[in-house]
Coordinates of all heavy atoms in Angstrom, one line a residue:
M1 N 0.8 -1.2 0.0 CA 0.0 0.0 0.0 C 0.9 1.2 0.0 O 1.6 1.5 0.9 CB -0.9 0.0 1.2 CG -1.7 1.2 1.5 SD -3.0 1.5 0.2 CE -4.3 0.5 0.9
N2 N 0.8 2.0 -1.1 CA 1.6 3.2 -1.2 C 0.8 4.5 -1.0 O 1.3 5.6 -1.2 CB 2.3 3.3 -2.6 CG 3.2 2.1 -2.8 OD1 3.9 1.7 -1.9 ND2 3.1 1.5 -4.0
I3 N -0.4 4.3 -0.7 CA -1.3 5.5 -0.6 C -1.6 5.8 0.9 O -1.8 4.9 1.7 CB -2.7 5.2 -1.3 CG1 -2.4 4.7 -2.8 CG2 -3.6 6.4 -1.3 CD1 -2.0 5.7 -3.7
K4 N -1.6 7.1 1.2 CA -1.9 7.5 2.5 C -3.1 8.4 2.5 O -3.4 9.0 1.5 CB -0.7 8.3 3.1 CG 0.5 7.4 3.4 CD 1.6 8.2 4.1 CE 2.1 9.4 3.2 NZ 3.3 10.0 3.7
K5 N -3.7 8.5 3.7 CA -4.8 9.5 3.9 C -4.3 10.9 3.5 O -3.2 11.3 3.9 CB -5.3 9.4 5.3 CG -6.6 10.2 5.6 CD -7.0 10.1 7.0 CE -8.2 11.0 7.3 NZ -8.6 11.0 8.7
G6 N -5.1 11.6 2.8 CA -4.8 13.0 2.4 C -4.0 13.1 1.1 O -3.8 14.2 0.6
D7 N -3.6 12.0 0.5 CA -3.0 12.0 -0.7 C -3.9 12.5 -1.9 O -5.1 12.2 -1.8 CB -2.5 10.6 -1.1 CG -1.2 10.2 -0.4 OD1 -0.5 11.1 0.1 OD2 -0.8 9.0 -0.5
N8 N -3.3 13.1 -2.9 CA -4.1 13.3 -4.1 C -3.8 12.2 -5.1 O -2.6 11.9 -5.3 CB -3.6 14.7 -4.7 CG -4.6 15.8 -4.4 OD1 -5.9 15.6 -4.5 ND2 -4.1 16.9 -4.0
V9 N -4.8 11.6 -5.5 CA -4.7 10.5 -6.4 C -5.4 10.6 -7.7 O -6.4 11.4 -7.8 CB -5.1 9.1 -5.7 CG1 -4.2 8.8 -4.6 CG2 -6.5 9.2 -5.3
M10 N -5.0 9.9 -8.7 CA -5.8 9.8 -10.0 C -6.3 8.4 -10.1 O -5.6 7.5 -9.9 CB -4.9 10.2 -11.2 CG -5.8 10.2 -12.5 SD -4.8 10.7 -13.9 CE -4.9 12.4 -13.8
V11 N -7.6 8.3 -10.6 CA -8.2 7.0 -10.8 C -7.7 6.6 -12.2 O -7.8 7.3 -13.2 CB -9.7 7.1 -10.8 CG1 -10.4 5.8 -11.0 CG2 -10.2 7.7 -9.4
I12 N -7.2 5.3 -12.3 CA -6.7 4.9 -13.5 C -7.5 3.8 -14.2 O -7.3 3.4 -15.3 CB -5.2 4.4 -13.4 CG1 -5.2 3.3 -12.3 CG2 -4.3 5.5 -13.1 CD1 -3.9 2.6 -12.2
T13 N -8.6 3.4 -13.6 CA -9.5 2.5 -14.2 C -10.9 2.6 -13.7 O -11.2 3.3 -12.7 CB -9.0 1.0 -14.0 OG1 -9.8 0.1 -14.7 CG2 -9.0 0.7 -12.5
G14 N -11.9 2.1 -14.5 CA -13.3 2.1 -14.1 C -14.0 3.4 -14.6 O -13.4 4.1 -15.4
K15 N -15.2 3.6 -14.0 CA -16.0 4.7 -14.6 C -15.5 6.1 -14.3 O -15.9 7.0 -14.9 CB -17.5 4.5 -14.1 CG -17.6 4.7 -12.6 CD -19.1 4.8 -12.2 CE -19.2 4.9 -10.7 NZ -20.2 5.9 -10.3
D16 N -14.7 6.2 -13.2 CA -14.1 7.5 -12.9 C -12.7 7.7 -13.4 O -11.9 8.5 -12.9 CB -14.2 7.7 -11.4 CG -15.6 8.0 -10.9 OD1 -16.4 8.6 -11.7 OD2 -16.0 7.5 -9.8
K17 N -12.3 6.9 -14.3 CA -10.9 6.9 -14.9 C -10.6 8.4 -15.2 O -11.3 9.1 -15.9 CB -10.9 6.0 -16.1 CG -9.6 5.8 -16.7 CD -9.7 4.8 -17.9 CE -8.4 4.7 -18.6 NZ -8.5 3.7 -19.7
G18 N -9.4 8.8 -14.8 CA -8.9 10.1 -15.2 C -9.3 11.2 -14.2 O -8.7 12.3 -14.2
K19 N -10.2 10.9 -13.3 CA -10.6 11.9 -12.2 C -9.6 11.9 -11.1 O -8.9 10.9 -10.8 CB -11.9 11.5 -11.6 CG -13.1 11.8 -12.6 CD -14.4 11.7 -11.8 CE -15.6 11.7 -12.7 NZ -16.8 11.5 -12.0
T20 N -9.5 13.0 -10.4 CA -8.6 13.1 -9.3 C -9.3 13.4 -8.0 O -10.4 14.0 -8.1 CB -7.5 14.2 -9.5 OG1 -8.1 15.4 -9.7 CG2 -6.6 13.9 -10.7
G21 N -8.8 13.1 -6.9 CA -9.5 13.4 -5.7 C -8.5 13.1 -4.5 O -7.4 12.6 -4.6
T22 N -9.0 13.5 -3.3 CA -8.2 13.3 -2.1 C -8.7 12.1 -1.4 O -9.9 11.8 -1.2 CB -8.5 14.6 -1.2 OG1 -8.3 15.7 -1.9 CG2 -7.5 14.5 0.0
V23 N -7.7 11.3 -0.9 CA -8.0 10.1 -0.2 C -8.5 10.5 1.2 O -7.9 11.2 2.0 CB -6.7 9.2 0.0 CG1 -7.0 8.0 0.8 CG2 -6.2 8.8 -1.4
Q24 N -9.7 9.9 1.5 CA -10.3 10.2 2.8 C -10.1 9.1 3.8 O -10.1 9.4 5.0 CB -11.8 10.5 2.6 CG -12.1 11.7 1.8 CD -13.5 12.1 2.0 OE1 -14.4 11.3 1.7 NE2 -13.8 13.3 2.3
R25 N -9.9 7.9 3.3 CA -9.8 6.8 4.2 C -9.0 5.7 3.5 O -9.1 5.5 2.3 CB -11.2 6.2 4.6 CG -11.4 6.1 6.1 CD -12.8 5.6 6.3 NE -12.7 4.2 6.7 CZ -13.8 3.4 6.7 NH1 -15.0 3.8 6.3 NH2 -13.7 2.2 7.2
V26 N -8.1 5.1 4.3 CA -7.3 4.0 3.8 C -7.7 2.7 4.6 O -7.6 2.8 5.9 CB -5.8 4.2 3.9 CG1 -5.0 3.0 3.4 CG2 -5.5 5.4 3.0
M27 N -8.1 1.7 3.9 CA -8.4 0.4 4.7 C -7.2 -0.5 4.4 O -7.2 -1.3 3.4 CB -9.7 -0.2 4.2 CG -10.9 0.6 4.7 SD -12.3 0.5 3.6 CE -12.4 2.2 3.0
L28 N -6.2 -0.5 5.3 CA -5.0 -1.2 5.1 C -5.2 -2.7 5.0 O -4.6 -3.4 4.2 CB -4.1 -0.9 6.3 CG -3.3 0.4 6.2 CD1 -2.5 0.6 7.5 CD2 -2.4 0.4 5.0
D29 N -6.1 -3.2 5.8 CA -6.4 -4.7 5.8 C -7.0 -5.2 4.6 O -6.8 -6.4 4.2 CB -7.2 -5.1 7.1 CG -8.5 -4.2 7.2 OD1 -8.5 -3.1 6.6 OD2 -9.5 -4.7 7.8
R30 N -7.7 -4.3 3.8 CA -8.3 -4.8 2.6 C -7.7 -4.1 1.3 O -8.2 -4.3 0.2 CB -9.8 -4.5 2.7 CG -10.5 -5.4 3.7 CD -12.0 -5.4 3.5 NE -12.6 -4.1 3.9 CZ -13.7 -3.6 3.3 NH1 -14.3 -4.2 2.3 NH2 -14.1 -2.4 3.6
D31 N -6.6 -3.3 1.5 CA -6.0 -2.6 0.4 C -7.0 -1.7 -0.4 O -6.9 -1.6 -1.6 CB -5.4 -3.7 -0.6 CG -4.0 -4.1 -0.2 OD1 -3.5 -3.4 0.7 OD2 -3.5 -5.0 -0.7
R32 N -7.9 -1.1 0.4 CA -8.9 -0.3 -0.3 C -8.7 1.2 0.1 O -8.3 1.4 1.3 CB -10.3 -0.8 0.0 CG -10.6 -2.1 -0.6 CD -11.9 -2.6 -0.3 NE -12.9 -2.0 -1.2 CZ -13.2 -2.4 -2.4 NH1 -12.6 -3.4 -2.9 NH2 -14.1 -1.7 -3.2
V33 N -9.1 2.1 -0.7 CA -9.1 3.5 -0.4 C -10.5 4.1 -0.7 O -11.2 3.7 -1.6 CB -8.0 4.2 -1.2 CG1 -6.6 3.8 -0.8 CG2 -8.2 4.1 -2.7
L34 N -10.8 5.1 0.1 CA -12.0 5.9 -0.2 C -11.6 7.3 -0.6 O -10.8 8.0 0.1 CB -12.8 6.0 1.1 CG -14.1 6.7 1.0 CD1 -15.1 5.8 0.2 CD2 -14.7 7.0 2.4
V35 N -11.9 7.6 -1.8 CA -11.5 8.9 -2.4 C -12.8 9.8 -2.5 O -13.8 9.4 -3.0 CB -10.9 8.7 -3.8 CG1 -10.3 10.1 -4.3 CG2 -9.8 7.7 -3.7
K36 N -12.6 11.1 -2.1 CA -13.7 12.0 -2.1 C -14.3 12.2 -3.4 O -13.6 12.4 -4.4 CB -13.2 13.4 -1.5 CG -14.3 14.4 -1.2 CD -13.7 15.7 -0.7 CE -14.7 16.5 0.0 NZ -15.8 17.0 -0.9
D37 N -15.6 12.0 -3.5 CA -16.4 12.2 -4.7 C -16.1 11.3 -5.9 O -16.4 11.6 -7.0 CB -16.4 13.7 -5.2 CG -17.0 14.6 -4.1 OD1 -17.9 14.2 -3.4 OD2 -16.5 15.8 -4.1
I38 N -15.4 10.2 -5.5 CA -15.0 9.2 -6.6 C -15.7 7.9 -6.3 O -15.9 7.5 -5.2 CB -13.5 9.0 -6.6 CG1 -12.8 10.4 -6.9 CG2 -13.1 8.0 -7.7 CD1 -12.9 10.8 -8.4
N39 N -16.1 7.2 -7.4 CA -16.8 5.9 -7.3 C -18.1 6.1 -6.5 O -18.3 5.3 -5.5 CB -15.8 4.9 -6.7 CG -16.3 3.5 -7.0 OD1 -17.0 3.2 -8.0 ND2 -15.9 2.6 -6.1
T40 N -18.9 7.1 -6.8 CA -20.1 7.3 -6.1 C -21.3 6.5 -6.5 O -21.3 6.1 -7.7 CB -20.5 8.8 -6.2 OG1 -20.6 9.2 -7.6 CG2 -19.4 9.7 -5.5
V41 N -22.1 6.3 -5.6 CA -23.4 5.6 -6.0 C -24.6 6.4 -5.4 O -24.4 7.1 -4.4 CB -23.5 4.1 -5.5 CG1 -22.6 3.2 -6.3 CG2 -23.2 4.1 -4.0
Q42 N -25.7 6.3 -6.0 CA -26.9 6.9 -5.5 C -27.5 6.0 -4.5 O -27.8 4.8 -4.9 CB -27.9 7.2 -6.6 CG -27.3 8.1 -7.7 CD -27.3 9.6 -7.3 OE1 -28.3 10.0 -6.7 NE2 -26.3 10.3 -7.5
K43 N -27.8 6.5 -3.3 CA -28.5 5.6 -2.4 C -29.8 6.3 -2.0 O -29.9 7.5 -1.8 CB -27.7 5.4 -1.1 CG -26.8 4.2 -1.2 CD -26.3 3.8 0.2 CE -25.5 2.5 0.1 NZ -24.7 2.3 1.3
R44 N -30.9 5.5 -2.0 CA -32.1 6.0 -1.5 C -32.4 5.6 -0.1 O -32.3 4.4 0.2 CB -33.3 5.6 -2.5 CG -33.1 6.3 -3.8 CD -34.2 5.9 -4.8 NE -33.8 6.5 -6.1 CZ -32.9 6.0 -6.9 NH1 -32.4 4.8 -6.6 NH2 -32.6 6.6 -8.0
T45 N -32.7 6.6 0.7 CA -33.0 6.2 2.1 C -34.5 6.2 2.3 O -35.3 6.9 1.6 CB -32.4 7.3 3.1 OG1 -33.0 8.5 2.7 CG2 -30.9 7.3 2.9
R46 N -34.9 5.3 3.1 CA -36.4 5.2 3.4 C -36.7 6.3 4.4 O -35.9 6.8 5.2 CB -36.7 3.9 4.1 CG -36.5 2.7 3.1 CD -36.8 1.4 3.8 NE -37.1 0.4 2.8 CZ -38.3 0.2 2.2 NH1 -39.3 1.0 2.7 NH2 -38.5 -0.7 1.3
P47 N -38.0 6.7 4.4 CA -38.4 7.7 5.4 C -38.2 7.2 6.8 O -38.6 6.0 7.1 CB -39.8 8.0 5.1 CG -40.3 6.9 4.2 CD -39.1 6.4 3.5
A48 N -37.6 7.9 7.7 CA -37.3 7.4 9.0 C -38.6 7.4 9.8 O -38.9 6.6 10.7 CB -36.3 8.3 9.7
R49 N -39.4 8.4 9.6 CA -40.7 8.5 10.3 C -41.8 8.7 9.3 O -41.6 9.1 8.2 CB -40.6 9.7 11.3 CG -40.2 9.4 12.7 CD -40.1 10.6 13.5 NE -38.7 11.2 13.4 CZ -38.5 12.5 13.3 NH1 -39.5 13.3 13.1 NH2 -37.3 12.9 13.2
Q50 N -43.0 8.5 9.8 CA -44.1 8.8 8.9 C -44.2 10.3 8.6 O -44.0 11.1 9.4 CB -45.4 8.3 9.7 CG -46.0 7.1 9.0 CD -47.4 6.8 9.6 OE1 -47.8 7.4 10.6 NE2 -48.1 5.8 9.0
G51 N -44.6 10.5 7.3 CA -44.7 11.9 6.9 C -43.4 12.5 6.4 O -43.4 13.5 5.7
Q52 N -42.3 11.8 6.6 CA -41.1 12.2 6.0 C -40.9 11.5 4.6 O -41.5 10.5 4.3 CB -39.9 11.8 6.8 CG -39.6 12.7 7.9 CD -38.3 12.3 8.7 OE1 -37.9 11.2 8.6 NE2 -37.7 13.3 9.4
K53 N -40.1 12.1 3.8 CA -39.8 11.6 2.5 C -38.5 10.8 2.5 O -37.6 11.2 3.2 CB -39.8 12.7 1.4 CG -41.2 13.1 0.9 CD -41.0 14.0 -0.2 CE -42.4 14.5 -0.7 NZ -42.3 15.7 -1.4
G54 N -38.4 9.8 1.7 CA -37.1 9.2 1.5 C -36.3 10.1 0.7 O -36.8 11.0 -0.1
Q55 N -35.0 10.0 0.8 CA -34.1 10.9 0.1 C -33.1 10.1 -0.8 O -32.8 8.9 -0.5 CB -33.3 11.7 1.1 CG -34.1 12.8 1.7 CD -33.2 13.6 2.7 OE1 -32.5 13.0 3.5 NE2 -33.3 14.9 2.6
T56 N -32.6 10.8 -1.8 CA -31.5 10.2 -2.6 C -30.2 10.9 -2.2 O -30.1 12.1 -2.2 CB -31.8 10.4 -4.1 OG1 -33.1 9.9 -4.4 CG2 -30.8 9.6 -4.9
V57 N -29.3 10.1 -1.7 CA -28.0 10.7 -1.4 C -26.9 10.0 -2.2 O -27.0 8.9 -2.6 CB -27.7 10.5 0.2 CG1 -28.6 11.3 1.0 CG2 -27.8 9.0 0.5
T58 N -25.9 10.8 -2.4 CA -24.7 10.3 -3.2 C -23.6 10.0 -2.2 O -23.2 10.8 -1.4 CB -24.2 11.4 -4.2 OG1 -25.3 11.8 -5.0 CG2 -23.1 10.8 -5.0
V59 N -23.2 8.8 -2.2 CA -22.1 8.4 -1.3 C -20.9 7.8 -2.1 O -21.1 7.1 -3.1 CB -22.6 7.3 -0.3 CG1 -23.5 8.0 0.7 CG2 -23.2 6.1 -0.9
A60 N -19.7 8.1 -1.6 CA -18.5 7.5 -2.3 C -18.3 6.1 -1.7 O -18.4 5.9 -0.5 CB -17.3 8.4 -2.0
R61 N -17.9 5.2 -2.6 CA -17.6 3.9 -2.1 C -16.1 3.7 -2.3 O -15.4 4.2 -3.1 CB -18.3 2.8 -2.9 CG -19.8 3.0 -2.8 CD -20.6 1.9 -3.4 NE -20.4 0.7 -2.7 CZ -20.5 -0.5 -3.2 NH1 -20.8 -0.6 -4.5 NH2 -20.4 -1.6 -2.5
S62 N -15.6 2.8 -1.4 CA -14.1 2.5 -1.5 C -13.8 1.7 -2.7 O -14.7 1.1 -3.3 CB -13.7 1.8 -0.3 OG -14.2 0.5 -0.3
M63 N -12.6 1.8 -3.2 CA -12.1 1.0 -4.3 C -10.7 0.4 -4.0 O -10.0 0.9 -3.1 CB -12.1 1.8 -5.6 CG -11.2 2.9 -5.6 SD -11.4 3.8 -7.1 CE -11.8 5.4 -6.5
H64 N -10.4 -0.5 -4.8 CA -9.1 -1.2 -4.5 C -7.9 -0.2 -4.8 O -8.0 0.6 -5.8 CB -8.9 -2.4 -5.4 CG -7.9 -3.3 -4.9 ND1 -6.6 -3.4 -5.4 CD2 -7.9 -4.2 -3.9 CE1 -5.9 -4.3 -4.7 NE2 -6.7 -4.8 -3.8
A65 N -6.9 -0.2 -4.0 CA -5.8 0.7 -4.1 C -5.1 0.7 -5.4 O -4.5 1.6 -5.9 CB -4.8 0.5 -2.9
S66 N -5.2 -0.5 -6.1 CA -4.5 -0.6 -7.4 C -5.2 0.2 -8.5 O -4.7 0.3 -9.6 CB -4.4 -2.1 -7.7 OG -5.7 -2.6 -7.9
N67 N -6.4 0.7 -8.2 CA -7.2 1.4 -9.2 C -6.8 2.9 -9.2 O -7.3 3.7 -10.0 CB -8.7 1.3 -8.9 CG -9.2 -0.1 -9.2 OD1 -8.4 -0.9 -9.7 ND2 -10.4 -0.3 -8.8
V68 N -6.0 3.3 -8.2 CA -5.6 4.7 -8.2 C -4.0 4.8 -8.2 O -3.3 3.9 -7.8 CB -6.1 5.4 -6.9 CG1 -7.6 5.4 -6.9 CG2 -5.5 4.9 -5.6
M69 N -3.6 6.0 -8.6 CA -2.1 6.3 -8.6 C -1.9 7.6 -7.9 O -2.7 8.5 -8.1 CB -1.6 6.3 -10.0 CG -1.2 5.0 -10.6 SD -0.6 5.1 -12.3 CE 1.2 4.9 -11.9
L70 N -0.8 7.7 -7.2 CA -0.5 8.9 -6.5 C -0.2 10.0 -7.5 O 0.5 9.8 -8.5 CB 0.7 8.7 -5.6 CG 1.1 9.9 -4.8 CD1 0.2 10.2 -3.7 CD2 2.5 9.8 -4.3
L71 N -0.7 11.2 -7.3 CA -0.3 12.3 -8.1 C 0.9 13.0 -7.4 O 0.8 13.5 -6.3 CB -1.5 13.4 -8.2 CG -2.6 13.2 -9.2 CD1 -3.6 14.3 -9.1 CD2 -2.0 13.2 -10.6
C72 N 2.0 13.0 -8.1 CA 3.2 13.6 -7.6 C 3.0 15.1 -7.4 O 2.6 15.8 -8.2 CB 4.4 13.3 -8.5 SG 5.9 14.1 -8.0
K73 N 3.5 15.6 -6.2 CA 3.3 17.0 -5.9 C 4.3 17.8 -6.8 O 4.1 19.0 -7.0 CB 3.7 17.2 -4.4 CG 2.6 16.7 -3.5 CD 3.0 17.0 -2.0 CE 2.2 16.1 -1.1 NZ 3.1 15.5 -0.1
N74 N 5.4 17.2 -7.2 CA 6.4 17.9 -7.9 C 6.1 17.9 -9.4 O 6.0 19.0 -10.1 CB 7.8 17.3 -7.7 CG 8.9 18.1 -8.3 OD1 8.9 19.3 -8.2 ND2 9.7 17.4 -9.1
C75 N 5.9 16.7 -10.0 CA 5.7 16.7 -11.5 C 4.2 16.7 -11.9 O 3.9 16.7 -13.1 CB 6.5 15.6 -12.1 SG 6.0 13.9 -11.6
K76 N 3.3 16.6 -10.9 CA 1.9 16.7 -11.1 C 1.3 15.6 -12.0 O 0.3 15.7 -12.7 CB 1.5 18.1 -11.7 CG 2.1 19.3 -11.1 CD 1.4 19.6 -9.8 CE 2.0 20.9 -9.2 NZ 1.9 20.9 -7.8
K77 N 2.0 14.5 -12.0 CA 1.6 13.4 -12.9 C 1.2 12.2 -12.0 O 1.8 12.1 -10.9 CB 2.7 13.0 -13.9 CG 2.8 14.0 -15.0 CD 3.8 13.5 -16.1 CE 5.2 13.6 -15.6 NZ 6.2 13.6 -16.6
P78 N 0.4 11.3 -12.5 CA 0.2 10.0 -11.7 C 1.4 9.2 -11.9 O 1.9 8.9 -13.0 CB -1.1 9.4 -12.4 CG -1.2 10.0 -13.7 CD -0.5 11.4 -13.7
V79 N 2.0 8.8 -10.8 CA 3.3 8.2 -10.8 C 3.4 6.9 -10.0 O 2.6 6.7 -9.0 CB 4.4 9.1 -10.3 CG1 4.6 10.3 -11.3 CG2 4.1 9.6 -8.9
R80 N 4.3 6.1 -10.3 CA 4.7 5.0 -9.4 C 5.6 5.5 -8.3 O 6.4 6.5 -8.6 CB 5.4 3.9 -10.1 CG 4.5 3.1 -11.0 CD 5.4 2.1 -11.8 NE 4.6 1.6 -12.9 CZ 3.6 0.7 -12.8 NH1 3.4 0.1 -11.6 NH2 3.0 0.3 -13.8
V81 N 5.5 5.0 -7.1 CA 6.3 5.5 -6.1 C 7.2 4.4 -5.5 O 6.9 3.2 -5.6 CB 5.5 6.1 -4.9 CG1 4.9 7.4 -5.3 CG2 4.5 5.1 -4.4
G82 N 8.3 4.8 -4.9 CA 9.2 3.8 -4.3 C 9.5 4.4 -2.9 O 9.1 5.5 -2.5
Y83 N 10.3 3.6 -2.2 CA 10.7 4.0 -0.8 C 12.2 4.0 -0.8 O 12.9 3.2 -1.4 CB 10.1 3.1 0.2 CG 8.7 3.4 0.5 CD1 7.7 2.7 -0.3 CD2 8.2 4.3 1.4 CE1 6.4 2.9 -0.1 CE2 6.9 4.6 1.6 CZ 6.0 3.9 0.9 OH 4.6 4.1 1.1
R84 N 12.8 5.0 -0.1 CA 14.2 5.0 0.1 C 14.5 5.5 1.5 O 13.7 6.1 2.1 CB 14.9 5.9 -1.0 CG 14.5 7.4 -0.9 CD 15.2 8.1 -2.0 NE 14.6 9.5 -2.0 CZ 14.6 10.3 -3.1 NH1 15.0 9.8 -4.3 NH2 14.1 11.5 -3.1
K85 N 15.7 5.3 1.9 CA 16.1 5.7 3.2 C 16.6 7.1 3.2 O 17.4 7.5 2.3 CB 17.1 4.7 3.8 CG 16.5 3.5 4.3 CD 17.4 2.9 5.4 CE 16.6 2.1 6.4 NZ 17.4 1.6 7.5
D86 N 16.2 7.9 4.2 CA 16.6 9.3 4.3 C 17.1 9.4 5.8 O 16.3 9.6 6.6 CB 15.5 10.3 4.0 CG 16.0 11.7 4.0 OD1 17.3 11.9 4.0 OD2 15.2 12.6 3.9
G87 N 18.4 9.2 6.0 CA 18.8 9.1 7.4 C 18.2 7.8 7.9 O 18.4 6.7 7.4
D88 N 17.5 7.9 9.1 CA 16.9 6.6 9.5 C 15.4 6.6 9.3 O 14.6 5.9 9.8 CB 17.2 6.3 11.0 CG 17.3 7.6 11.8 OD1 16.3 8.2 12.1 OD2 18.5 7.9 12.2
Q89 N 14.9 7.5 8.4 CA 13.5 7.5 8.0 C 13.4 6.9 6.6 O 14.2 7.0 5.7 CB 13.0 9.0 8.0 CG 12.5 9.4 9.3 CD 11.5 10.6 9.1 OE1 11.8 11.5 8.4 NE2 10.4 10.6 9.9
K90 N 12.2 6.3 6.5 CA 11.9 5.7 5.1 C 11.0 6.8 4.5 O 10.0 7.2 5.0 CB 11.1 4.4 5.3 CG 11.4 3.4 4.3 CD 10.8 2.1 4.7 CE 9.3 2.0 4.4 NZ 8.8 0.7 4.5
V91 N 11.4 7.3 3.3 CA 10.6 8.3 2.7 C 10.1 7.7 1.3 O 10.7 6.9 0.7 CB 11.3 9.6 2.4 CG1 11.6 10.3 3.8 CG2 12.6 9.4 1.6
R92 N 8.9 8.2 1.0 CA 8.3 7.8 -0.3 C 8.7 8.8 -1.4 O 8.7 10.0 -1.2 CB 6.8 7.8 -0.1 CG 6.0 7.2 -1.2 CD 4.5 7.2 -0.9 NE 4.0 8.5 -0.7 CZ 2.8 8.8 -0.6 NH1 1.8 7.9 -0.5 NH2 2.4 10.1 -0.4
Y93 N 9.1 8.3 -2.5 CA 9.5 9.2 -3.6 C 8.9 8.8 -4.9 O 8.5 7.6 -5.1 CB 11.0 9.2 -3.7 CG 11.6 8.0 -4.3 CD1 12.0 7.9 -5.6 CD2 11.8 6.8 -3.5 CE1 12.6 6.8 -6.2 CE2 12.4 5.7 -4.0 CZ 12.7 5.7 -5.4 OH 13.3 4.5 -5.9
C94 N 8.8 9.8 -5.8 CA 8.3 9.6 -7.1 C 9.3 9.0 -8.0 O 10.5 9.4 -8.1 CB 7.9 11.0 -7.7 SG 7.6 11.1 -9.4
K95 N 8.9 7.9 -8.8 CA 9.9 7.2 -9.6 C 10.2 8.0 -10.9 O 11.0 7.7 -11.7 CB 9.5 5.8 -9.9 CG 9.7 4.9 -8.7 CD 9.4 3.4 -9.0 CE 9.8 2.6 -7.9 NZ 9.5 1.2 -8.1
Q96 N 9.3 9.0 -11.2 CA 9.5 9.8 -12.4 C 10.6 10.9 -12.2 O 11.5 11.0 -13.0 CB 8.2 10.5 -12.8 CG 7.1 9.6 -13.2 CD 7.1 9.3 -14.7 OE1 7.4 10.2 -15.5 NE2 6.8 8.0 -15.0
C97 N 10.3 11.7 -11.1 CA 11.2 12.9 -11.0 C 12.1 12.8 -9.7 O 12.8 13.7 -9.4 CB 10.3 14.1 -10.9 SG 9.3 14.2 -9.4
E98 N 11.9 11.7 -9.0 CA 12.8 11.4 -7.8 C 12.4 12.3 -6.6 O 13.1 12.2 -5.6 CB 14.2 11.6 -8.1 CG 14.7 10.7 -9.3 CD 15.2 9.3 -8.8 OE1 16.0 9.2 -7.9 OE2 14.6 8.3 -9.3
A99 N 11.4 13.1 -6.7 CA 11.1 14.0 -5.6 C 10.4 13.2 -4.5 O 9.7 12.3 -4.7 CB 10.1 15.1 -6.1
T100 N 10.7 13.6 -3.2 CA 10.1 13.0 -2.1 C 8.6 13.5 -2.0 O 8.3 14.6 -2.2 CB 10.8 13.5 -0.8 OG1 12.2 13.1 -0.9 CG2 10.2 12.8 0.4
N101 N 7.7 12.5 -1.8 CA 6.3 12.8 -1.7 C 5.7 12.5 -0.4 O 5.8 11.4 0.1 CB 5.5 12.0 -2.8 CG 5.4 12.9 -4.0 OD1 4.5 13.6 -4.1 ND2 6.3 12.7 -5.0
Ligands
ZN1 ZN1 7.3 13.4 -9.7

């Protein structure tokens, strides 16, 4: 899993291909990410009480992390990332421009 919460990612497959968004949640155990306003579905809610109307709400669903790529802050492209050591810290970097992300 190379994606973290708060990352800007581009969707590379599926109906939202080419769209970008911010990662809101990462499900490490399932390799899934939830991206704001991406992979949305319409959900209809039932009226909670009598006299109320059901509503249609748009909710984002999670998708597999392999369906998105990190948008590099430096070269602004969807890129593959690697990890390298920086002192005793492991940092993530862009394989295109080598910038730390
Ligand atoms: Zn880059």
Side-chain angles (χ1 to χ4, degrees):
M1 174 67 88
N2 298 319
I3 308 287
K4 292 185 295 192
K5 188 179 173 183
D7 278 345
N8 260 315
V9 293
M10 182 181 275
V11 183
I12 53 169
T13 185
K15 66 171 178 136
D16 287 324
K17 188 175 174 178
K19 286 191 193 173
T20 60
T22 309
V23 175
Q24 293 194 306
R25 230 177 108 196
V26 175
M27 285 153 250
L28 279 175
D29 52 336
R30 291 194 293 149
D31 275 348
R32 294 179 78 83
V33 291
L34 184 70
V35 187
K36 191 178 195 297
D37 299 329
I38 299 287
N39 200 25
T40 54
V41 288
Q42 300 282 316
K43 269 198 176 167
R44 286 179 190 84
T45 59
R46 289 178 162 278
R49 266 175 272 134
Q50 248 189 353
Q52 275 187 339
K53 277 188 181 159
Q55 286 178 312
T56 306
V57 290
T58 305
V59 292
R61 301 188 68 205
S62 71
M63 65 182 120
H64 199 260
S66 64
N67 294 350
V68 301
M69 277 181 103
L70 181 73
L71 274 180
C72 174
K73 288 180 200 130
N74 185 50
C75 60
K76 314 281 183 212
K77 285 185 286 198
V79 294
R80 286 178 197 280
V81 291
Y83 286 89
R84 65 182 170 207
K85 279 209 154 180
D86 185 12
D88 34 72
Q89 270 201 318
K90 218 169 74 167
V91 293
R92 192 175 59 172
Y93 72 100
C94 163
K95 282 188 175 174
Q96 294 270 323
C97 67
E98 304 274 305
T100 302
N101 265 274

